[in-house]
Amino acid sequence: MTVRTRFAPSPTGFLHVGGARTALFCYLYARKRGGQFILRIEDTDLERSTTESVNAILEGMTWLGLDYDEGPFYQTQRFERYNAVIDELLNKGLAYRCDCSRERLEKLRVDQMARKAKPRYDGHCSHRQIDPDAPHVIRFRNPPDGVVIVDDLIRGRVPFNNEELDDLVIRRSDGTPTYNLTVVVDDADMRITHVIRGDDHLTNAPRQINILRALGHEPPRYGHVPMILGEDGARLSKRHGAVSVISYRDQGYLPEALLNYLVRLGWSHGDQEIFSIEQMIELFDIGDVNKSPSAFNTDKLDWLNQQYLQYADPARVARLLSSHMGHLGVDPSAGPDLAEVVKIQAARAKTLTELAEISAFCYQDFDDYEAAAAKKHLRPVAREGLEKLRTAFELMAFEDWTPEQLEYVVERVAGELEVNMGKIAQPLRVAIVGRAASPGIDETLMLVGKEATLRRIDKALAYIDARAST
Ligand code: GLU
């Protein structure tokens, strides 16, 4: 049997991290078994589905590298097929027309609730003859008794009493098919062997199994993935900050870091934290996913992203960083090779956005000093050191402007003044970078270049003088 999984989002919003995790699990399950992974867009809710959302889903999938073997299939292009199946069910007596009014259904519900019974359709129309030309819906004739077992890959065996499942509407009065019907037809037609999806669909599984059986199909295996919670224990939503996959890209996360983070949400392999996609394919198994929900932890994602930023190819990080620089109004062509900056700075940033912020000093002068850093380091006592450094730097030839030579010069000036390195390196750093944190002073100076170094020292000296005179 060839394993075939599908990711079947409804395009009613962006691709969120929960959906991305489901897609990743489907992808890994198929890839590990040499199977196929299919993308299906469930756009039958015409009012809520949008093209922007479809595009956001496709963009998210591409960015994450979750390539699908078939699709995207669109349910709105398959209405004819769904209607043919509904007609087949009708003809075989496995479905029936129902013209119960809204008022009747509402009264039924209220009475059932008053009796503390679960609201469900009472089968009023199941044996009535209804004029096909008068307004009506079509209901599936659910088996009246017995038990449906959902043999779930994550939850184990979950039994549902047929008595609790009513005769569900499969075609609305406007002629459109409903969710449970379209999913069943597609899963059967697309020969899906494993349905991996959010556990909000667990209660749909017995209904879908019944319809599949009525159509003469063997149901697929199901795996219902527990949801993701926010750090406060509530279901993850927009209110917890970024939840859309694309917003993580825009904030400067690498796709492989997000995937790595998502695979570890509710799944582990010993105490290993870093997984390449190949390792995920090899090691991940849906059966090992935790039954309980897991909480999203941004610190952990940040940590992973920082690891990936450090070890990814600097040229690739530089390409990605370039657009983040652009957002800050920094032109990376106006200074050192961005890949060199990445090599030196990557370990210091959690995201590309942060990397852009802490690297902007290499390309343009900053406006203000960080207040605490200036207060502490740009004082009159620093003046002599800065002046001496300036003179020494000015005398250096451009070809000598290397980390080794720069370090030697700073050490020599410190020696002349009989102070330790830190005493002159910190004011110098604040003068050059605007704040007290940066890579080694030698590398910092090298990146900034001779001209900007002299200019920024002059600015710092003026700042010290201005401060002294106030
Ligand atoms: N379209 C459904 C959703 O986005 C998923 C249906 C399924 O996976 O069976 O929640």
Side-chain angles (χ1 to χ4, degrees), residues 6-12 22 40-42 75 179 183 187 195-198 200-201 208 222:
R6 85 316 192 259
F7 175 50
S10 304
T12 54
T22 303
R40 181 167 86 216
I41 304 289
E42 303 205 323
Q75 289 193 322
Y179 159 73
V183 164
D187 286 343
V195 168
I196 296 166
R197 61 184 173 191
D200 46 335
H201 289 291
Q208 295 175 3
Y222 292 91

Side-chain angles (χ1 to χ4, degrees), residues 53-126:
S53 170
V54 172
N55 291 339
I57 291 167
L58 300 180
E59 195 182 354
M61 297 288 285
T62 306
W63 179 64
L64 289 172
L66 297 177
D67 47 317
Y68 31 93
D69 305 290
E70 290 173 28
F73 296 111
Y74 294 86
Q75 289 193 322
T76 42
Q77 292 172 6
R78 288 174 46 80
F79 276 9
E80 227 172 278
R81 171 73 185 135
Y82 304 134
N83 279 321
V85 172
I86 294 172
D87 291 342
E88 181 190 332
L89 287 168
L90 262 180
N91 293 338
K92 290 186 174 158
L94 298 166
Y96 59 89
R97 296 188 179 88
C98 163
D99 65 357
C100 286
S101 65
R102 195 164 289 185
E103 293 71 33
R104 179 176 186 279
L105 294 175
E106 181 55 21
K107 181 165 183 318
L108 182 65
R109 198 182 67 85
V110 170
D111 289 350
Q112 285 169 334
M113 302 269 280
R115 278 189 278 117
K116 301 221 173 340
K118 205 173 156 201
R120 62 194 291 270
Y121 184 62
D122 60 354
H124 176 72
C125 293
S126 65

Side-chain angles (χ1 to χ4, degrees), residues 260 264 267-275 283 300 303-304:
N260 193 145
R264 282 281 291 105
W267 175 80
S268 57
H269 180 74
D271 48 18
Q272 185 172 341
E273 288 295 353
I274 309 276
F275 296 87
L283 300 171
K300 176 93 184 280
W303 177 81
L304 275 168

